[in-house]
Amino acid sequence: METYTLIVLLLAATLRVATPLLLAALAGLFSERAGVIALGLEGMMLGAAFAAAAASAVSGSAWVGLGAGIAVAVALALLLGFACVTQRGNQVVAGMAVNIMVAGLGPALALAWFDLGGQTPQLEGAGQRFLGLAWPGAAAAARTAPFPGLLYSQLLSGHNLIVYLAAALVPVSAWILYRTRFGLRLRAVGENPQAVDTAGIGVAGLRYQAVMISGVLCGVAGAYLSTAASAGFVRDMTAGKGYLALAALIFGKWRPYPTLGACLLFAFTDALATRLQGVDLPLVGVIPVQFILALPYVLTVLLLAGFVGTAVPPRASGVPYEKER
Amino acid sequence: MSPAAKLPRWAEFGLLPAVNLLAALLLSGAIIRLIGESPWAALRLMADGAFGSQEAIGYTLFYATSFIFTGLGVAVAYHAGLFNIGAEGQAYIGGLGTGLVCLALGHWPFWAVLPLAVLAGAAGGAAWAFLPAWLQARRGSHIVITTIMFNFIASALMTWLLVNVLIRPGQQSPESREFAPNAFMPGLHTLLGRIGIPFAATPLNLAFLLALAASVLVWLFVWRTRWGYALRVAGINPAAARYAGIRPERVTIGAMLLSGALAGSLGLNELMGSQHRILLDFPGGAGFVGIAVALMGRNHPVGILLASVLFGALVQGGSQLSFDMPHVNRDMVVVIQGLVILFCGALENVFRTPLAALLGRGKPEGSNR
């Protein structure tokens, strides 16, 4: 029973860790499927985390924070779009630039506005954060029928709104990409922009839309980090999650459901590493936490090397489109 | 990566970077204004903090030394058409090599330790660049992604090593023991003192001269050797290179090994020159500054030197700024770095096209609208 509780709690932690990862990976999915490399996920998420925490601290409402987070992430996405689509600049450099700029800008503005050494104030008010939602009868279920009850109360119930939203966005994204006209065009513009252009559809417009969708999703992910998973913004709080999401996207071979699987796998290794910190396991002894944490990156490299299946990126990804005369 | 509009050489290497830098500084000034401080006062404080005294200059050049190493590393890969984002991880592992030599052989005389430390640093950095290079050359894995992954793997590996293996017994913070004094890189002030020139005591050390030597060697290698020629040809047009009997796969691996070796030399300055021990996250973002430096310096050693001094001045001036302006902290410097990368790298056509038109070089070749 105790092991069972442990496993359920581990899985619940996995869901919480996976949420921002999944949102960012879906953001990357739209962007890369349209042919724009998604190296700016980290920066967009971090910018949104700062904006959401700051707006929530000032206004007292998590929803205002979410709005501010999305607004900032979309603004950064437009900057990326301008650099990558309009200016046809180097997309990798553009993404890195946004990541580095935001890594400095968040703490710099936080210090100037709140005077707390680069953080935002702790969000303690009632409506300032997205808190866990207890489903009806969750506590009672855990008490009366522990086996299915625990599953219901810990794994299904008790998460905040954004966790459920992220889960719902997987089928929605899949539907948009594979079942709508917009999705077809989006995928086409990432594979063969010339063909899209020949059909009389604007390449730039589609890519801008894709980048803005990725901004919205990164905005939600950032707000989750600073107003749901924790209570305020701290320096470098994304801690590489944007890059990990990119790895998950590659691991998921640029498809929605496999990407969900990769996010869950990576989140599970993270949750497991936290749980196994300093635990002496039978037979193997203490596994160094760092090795477990490095696992997603090693797996991604192996995949890219073609040792674990093959990952073929969208063909026009990273290539600026130049209209022919 | 071909430029959209052609500029005369002096504009390409002088005017355009200057205009891009100006744009980045203007935006940073606007942000400082937004914070409620005077951009002019901030600029004066930074300039004074970076160049106002011998001590200030020493610190500025000390920081610049690290950026020269990583900037050269990024540039060499760039000439071969490779974007090496992994300089941070390569500097980390290279520093491990340098540090291990210093820990093990610290009782040897300095002139025996130095060449081994240089070799170990280069070997560590090159080793960390090898796998991404090999995967790119042989299996077509995108080097940008693999080098990013290797940064994280290096970070995990080093944390484990420092927490579990290298940590000084009986100590809490994850650091190695201090090197023996024989393995300290002599400060430039002592070297200058020996030939009768007084200079303030700063962390600026012999590694600065090594960085200058590396710049000359990189210039000789890239522009004056057959190997360097092959590297540039393969970078511009792999198909033509293959037709000319150059094997692009070999160039990819060779360029990345050299790139990693240069980035891996960071430990000579940071560890042997200043910290005198191996500690957590000692590259401190220098690998990413190297990208900014290479972009701004147009991947040429002279440009990289100048850009490194500029970024060294930003870091040193920035710390002065945070002393004197309580509402501005060192993160402002990171913002400027990001803006410089943005303008010099991703948005360079914003100014290139109008400059080309202004300088009367006719219609830009690449634009079609």
Side-chain angles (χ1 to χ4, degrees), chain B residues 201-218:
Chain B
T202 63
L204 181 63
N205 59 75
L206 184 63
F208 177 62
L209 301 182
L210 295 179
L212 294 183
S215 310
V216 175
L217 287 178
V218 164

Side-chain angles (χ1 to χ4, degrees), chain B residues 286-341:
Chain B
F288 296 112
V289 180
I291 299 173
V293 163
L295 282 170
M296 213 190 135
R298 295 268 160 248
N299 298 301
H300 190 284
V302 175
I304 288 170
L305 262 174
L306 293 173
S308 296
V309 172
L310 174 81
F311 275 91
L314 282 176
V315 173
Q316 170 56 19
S319 54
Q320 182 68 40
L321 189 64
S322 59
F323 272 123
D324 294 335
M325 285 190 175
H327 280 295
V328 179
N329 55 3
R330 300 175 83 159
D331 295 307
M332 211 49 229
V333 175
V334 181
V335 179
I336 301 178
Q337 278 169 17
L339 287 171
V340 168
I341 297 181

Side-chain angles (χ1 to χ4, degrees), chain B:
Chain B
M1 289 185 194
S2 66
K6 275 261 183 278
L7 286 173
R9 272 183 73 87
W10 65 271
E12 174 75 38
F13 292 100
L15 187 62
L16 187 62
V19 170
N20 285 328
L21 176 67
L22 194 69
L25 286 181
L26 277 177
L27 252 179
S28 317
I31 294 168
I32 291 179
R33 167 109 290 170
L34 186 76
I35 284 173
E37 298 276 5
S38 151
W40 259 123
L43 189 65
R44 288 233 307 275
L45 276 173
M46 283 184 88
D48 187 55
F51 299 111
S53 65
Q54 275 189 1
E55 213 177 6
I57 294 172
Y59 271 94
T60 295
L61 293 182
F62 165 70
Y63 293 124
T65 306
S66 293
F67 303 152
I68 295 173
F69 282 128
T70 52
L72 287 174
V74 174
V76 167
Y78 194 89
H79 279 296
L82 302 161
F83 197 43
N84 179 11
I85 298 195
E88 185 83 0
Q90 289 144 20
Y92 212 175
I93 301 296
L96 172 70
T98 299
L100 287 179
V101 165
C102 293
L103 285 173
L105 307 175
H107 53 284
W108 287 19
F110 174 73
W111 296 110
V113 177
L114 181 65
L116 289 175
V118 171
L119 276 180
W128 208 248
F130 173 72
L131 264 182
W134 186 81
L135 290 174
Q136 166 83 54
R138 300 284 166 204
R139 324 230 13 152
S141 324
H142 202 315
I143 199 143
V144 168
I145 307 293
T146 46
T147 48
I148 290 177
M149 298 300 135
F150 267 71
N151 282 344
F152 286 104
I153 299 172
S155 171
L157 179 68
M158 288 296 287
T159 308
W160 177 75
L161 276 176
L162 282 167
V163 170
N164 295 290
V165 183
L166 292 169
I167 191 166
R168 201 178 74 193
Q171 187 186 255
Q172 284 298 313
S173 63
E175 299 176 354
S176 77
R177 67 177 161 82
E178 191 169 62
F179 305 155
N182 275 357
F184 290 9
M185 198 68 91
L188 216 60
H189 56 278
T190 39
L191 294 178
L192 285 172
R194 240 176 254 168
I195 53 169
I197 305 170
F199 194 82
T202 63
L204 181 63
N205 59 75
L206 184 63
F208 177 62
L209 301 182
L210 295 179
L212 294 183
S215 310
V216 175
L217 287 178
V218 164
W219 180 78
L220 280 174
F221 174 79
V222 174
W223 280 279
R224 287 291 178 271
T225 66
R226 179 192 287 252
W227 257 89
Y229 179 73
L231 188 118
R232 284 180 292 137
V233 172
I236 293 166
N237 190 339
R242 198 182 296 280
Y243 190 67
I246 299 164
R247 284 198 249 166
E249 295 84 9
R250 280 197 173 186
V251 171
T252 295
I253 293 179
M256 279 303 287
L257 288 179
L258 186 58
S259 174
L262 285 162
S265 306
L266 175 106
L268 301 175
N269 185 47
E270 194 65 40
L271 300 183
M272 279 182 87
S274 162
Q275 300 286 353
H276 302 145
R277 74 197 70 191
I278 310 174
L279 65 170
L280 220 50
D281 197 32
F282 62 81
F288 296 112
V289 180
I291 299 173
V293 163
L295 282 170
M296 213 190 135
R298 295 268 160 248
N299 298 301
H300 190 284
V302 175
I304 288 170
L305 262 174
L306 293 173
S308 296
V309 172
L310 174 81
F311 275 91
L314 282 176
V315 173
Q316 170 56 19
S319 54
Q320 182 68 40
L321 189 64
S322 59
F323 272 123
D324 294 335
M325 285 190 175
H327 280 295
V328 179
N329 55 3
R330 300 175 83 159
D331 295 307
M332 211 49 229
V333 175
V334 181
V335 179
I336 301 178
Q337 278 169 17
L339 287 171
V340 168
I341 297 181
L342 190 67
F343 279 106
C344 291
L347 293 178
E348 63 165 355
N349 289 339
V350 173
F351 296 111
R352 181 189 289 277
T353 316
L355 270 184
L358 201 70
L359 294 171
R361 283 284 168 129
K363 285 230 161 115
E365 284 162 34
S367 79
N368 298 305
R369 281 166 213 201

